[in-house]
Amino acid sequence: MEKILVRPNGPLKGSVRISGAKNAALPILAATILGTEKIVLEDVPELKDVEIITEVLRGLGLKIEKDKNTLIIDPSGLNSYETDYELMSKMRASFLVMGPLLARLSKAYNSLPGGCNIGTRPIDLHLKGFNALGAEITMTHGEIKAEADELVGERIYLDFPSVGATENIMMAAVLAKGETTLENCAMEPEIVDLANFLNKMGAKVTGAGTSTIRIRGVEKLTGCTHQIIPDRIEAGTFMVAAAITGGDILIDNVITSHLKPVIAKLEEAGVSISTDGSAVRVIGNGKLKPIEIKTLPHPGFPTDLQAQFMALLTQAEGQSSVIETVFENRFMHAEELKKMGANIKVIDREALITGRSKLYGSKVRATDLRAGAALILAALVSEGETEISDIYHIDRGYEKIEDKFKSLGSDIERIERKM
């Protein structure tokens, strides 16, 4: 079983290039099902989740060639509306193929999706949208079937601004007859990237990035070349790395407007930040102020950076608080941080963090993707060696993470340990 070992090695310094966004790449890969001609995707991160959804697509008949971070996709061979159970059970985002399949083949047979155990993420909003467009939904023994003679545009209101539901319904609607209006939808940058990709193939999507998206159905989509946007969560993770170690890191290939809440909270904590075009420089001064964080749907503070900031706040002077409003089970990393000496008290959806804790290297477990990143960050300022297990979670969302940390001066390595 692979593990990551981290030993403290002082402030991190240097520059790091941010990879393409996992949360943009996955829905865009699902959307290639909608195309009928060659599609070239650039800056696709080399991640386990990308590998899984690529295999799902191949199982549906798509041909995919890989050249480093570029994927060349031929969707013309699409010949199945039924996805592989084993692959679907490994990753929640694999459910995003349902909307495109329903649009292209009028049928989609899926098993219930898997993924990180960070709380209830019901798919009922996805199914509600498909049903509104004219699909008949049946569920039996963990399998979901959606079938429609014809999809017809409709006004759909989401009870919660779910990113996945917004993406899935949008993809189903691009080939529907007439116009679909999607209200109270998610506004994340990854939604905008998906809409831009669909429009390059011939879709007519407007309003992405706002709470109301309009999709005018077209007869078919073609192909295009598209570059995946930079990963704002990976960027935020390295920004925290500079802050927690008192380092100086230039983070390249970012869209700074995507990082506004992260920049605001780091500056509030006393961190120096400057932006220049597609780069952001973060300088930690070694003195961190306590802050309050509340996760919210975009443009609020991202839940995917909550764990990393909790690690940071163990080193702030005084008491900080983190309130999690998006997922009800996303404080599992608190127990792992406490094993390292962190002073954290969790009450329902609020965590109270008292700094400045002296952290010690320990054997800890990545309970989910972002928790794994938080443990690496905490290990950077811990006394002694930290051993992190279950790192397959980390590999789902961070491309070559130990190589990037090494380039900044971190003493980090991946090892194979026997059970």
Side-chain angles (χ1 to χ4, degrees), residues 402-419:
E402 66 270 25
D403 292 345
K404 291 187 177 183
F405 271 109
K406 276 182 185 177
S407 73
L408 299 169
S410 173
D411 185 354
I412 183 173
E413 63 177 322
R414 181 181 294 249
I415 62 165
E416 184 78 29
R417 279 277 169 91
K418 292 182 180 180
M419 295 289 289

Side-chain angles (χ1 to χ4, degrees), residues 31-51:
T32 62
I33 290 170
L34 295 161
T36 54
E37 299 175 12
K38 185 176 81 170
I39 296 165
V40 178
L41 296 180
E42 300 171 341
D43 224 356
V44 180
E46 294 188 74
L47 303 171
K48 190 62 179 177
D49 276 11
V50 170
E51 183 183 315

Side-chain angles (χ1 to χ4, degrees), residues 156-225:
I156 302 168
Y157 179 85
L158 295 179
D159 297 329
F160 176 82
S162 160
V163 174
T166 300
E167 292 167 339
N168 226 344
I169 298 166
M170 183 165 62
M171 289 186 283
V174 292
L175 297 181
K177 185 177 180 181
E179 183 172 283
T180 298
T181 300
L182 191 54
E183 297 177 322
N184 194 34
C185 50
M187 299 186 286
E188 272 73 358
E190 295 79 14
I191 302 278
V192 178
D193 203 30
L194 173 61
N196 289 340
F197 171 70
L198 292 170
N199 287 341
K200 283 183 182 179
M201 290 200 296
K204 295 182 177 179
V205 180
T206 59
T210 74
S211 61
T212 301
I213 297 176
R214 289 183 172 82
I215 308 110
R216 185 175 297 173
V218 297
E219 287 192 9
K220 73 168 189 173
L221 300 187
T222 55
C224 70
T225 296

Side-chain angles (χ1 to χ4, degrees), residues 277-349:
S278 61
V280 57
R281 184 180 181 187
V282 183
I283 303 174
N285 61 13
K287 278 192 171 183
L288 292 167
K289 303 173 186 175
I291 57 173
E292 295 179 356
I293 288 173
K294 184 177 184 179
T295 66
L296 291 166
H298 191 79
F301 189 89
T303 181
D304 279 353
L305 282 170
Q306 177 255 104
Q308 297 90 314
F309 266 75
M310 189 179 292
L312 175 72
L313 295 175
T314 66
Q315 302 306 298
E317 301 283 353
Q319 189 176 83
S320 301
S321 71
V322 175
I323 298 174
E324 173 61 51
T325 73
V326 181
F327 295 122
E328 76 280 3
N329 194 28
R330 207 166 197 179
F331 281 149
M332 290 187 291
H333 48 273
E335 288 303 314
E336 301 302 308
L337 290 170
K338 285 164 72 174
K339 290 178 185 177
M340 301 173 74
N343 185 344
I344 302 171
K345 185 177 182 181
V346 176
I347 306 169
D348 296 326
R349 289 199 176 195

